[in-house]
């Protein structure tokens, strides 16, 4: 698997992000969807990566700088053709490693609280993320779960 910084212009990546947004709106009320669209992912404080193997897109993820010591994991998505192959674990590990290189002391995330999001929560917990309260501009929301990892 090759993970690279992506410029968000390729049709495969755009398609995966469109699938991601559709899924978020399918499984969460609109006011509780915090997924970034292409415009949000292209902001200077966000770095976006895609994972590839033999020319095929496996998944993606992003890191948003909240401040000099705190990053947020964003836009985690595995292609439906590559679920349960370790893509998400590798992408999260890559992003956590990058956060450490940047000198962040903490990386946090928001995900859904519904059953659909339980596999993601288990993955994050296995990697060392712990449940926490809202961070950055988030507020308490019964549809959201917040997790953080000290680096």
């Amino acid at each position: 698997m090759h993970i690279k910084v992506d410029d968000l212009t390729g049709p495969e990546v755009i398609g995966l992000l469109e699938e991601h947004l559709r899924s978020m709106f399918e499984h969460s009320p609109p006011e509780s969807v915090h997924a970034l669209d292409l415009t949000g992912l292209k902001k200077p404080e966000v770095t976006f990566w895609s994972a590839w193997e033999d020319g095929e897109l496996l998944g993606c993820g992003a890191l948003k700088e909240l401040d000099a010591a705190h990053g947020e994991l964003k836009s985690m998505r595995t292609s439906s053709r590559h679920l349960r192959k370790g893509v998400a674990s590798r992408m999260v590990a890559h992003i956590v490693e990058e956060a450490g290189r940047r000198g962040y002391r903490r990386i946090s995330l928001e995900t859904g609280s519904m059953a659909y999001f339980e596999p993601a929560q288990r993955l994050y917990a296995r990697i060392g993320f712990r449940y926490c309260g809202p961070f950055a501009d988030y507020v308490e929301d019964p549809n959201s779960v917040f997790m953080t990892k000290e680096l």
Side-chain angles (χ1 to χ4, degrees):
M1 179 185 320
H2 172 68
I3 297 174
K4 67 176 188 173
V5 172
D6 197 291
D7 65 5
L8 296 148
T9 60
E12 301 96 334
V13 170
I14 292 170
L16 184 60
L17 288 170
E18 288 171 347
E19 175 188 322
H20 179 62
L21 284 171
R22 276 193 309 274
S23 180
M24 295 303 98
F25 280 99
E26 180 181 331
H27 296 283
S28 299
E31 66 276 7
S32 297
V33 173
H34 303 288
L36 297 174
D37 61 12
L38 277 174
T39 301
L41 288 168
K42 289 181 178 180
K43 291 189 175 180
E45 65 270 19
V46 178
T47 304
F48 180 86
W49 290 272
S50 56
W52 300 82
E53 189 167 271
D54 298 325
E56 189 170 358
L57 178 63
L58 305 179
C60 63
L63 178 61
K64 178 180 179 182
E65 182 169 299
L66 300 175
D67 62 44
H70 191 188
E72 180 181 4
L73 184 67
K74 298 292 289 183
S75 300
M76 284 295 303
R77 186 68 176 198
T78 300
S79 167
S80 57
R81 296 180 57 199
H82 297 284
L83 295 172
R84 285 170 280 297
K85 295 181 181 178
V87 174
S89 295
R90 295 269 306 276
M91 182 61 76
V92 173
H94 178 83
I95 293 171
V96 167
E97 185 178 301
E98 175 62 23
R101 273 196 297 275
R102 293 180 182 187
Y104 296 168
R105 291 192 302 268
R106 179 165 74 120
I107 185 169
S108 302
L109 64 91
E110 179 276 338
T111 190
S113 63
M114 292 67 88
Y116 175 81
F117 298 98
E118 287 175 5
Q121 291 177 36
R122 285 193 301 272
L123 166 71
Y124 299 135
R126 274 195 313 273
I127 294 171
F129 284 83
R130 300 291 171 246
Y131 293 96
C132 65
F135 60 92
D137 295 331
Y138 292 105
V139 296
E140 284 292 341
D141 180 345
N143 301 300
S144 289
V145 166
F146 304 99
M147 301 179 83
T148 196
K149 177 179 174 69
E150 299 295 325
L151 303 178

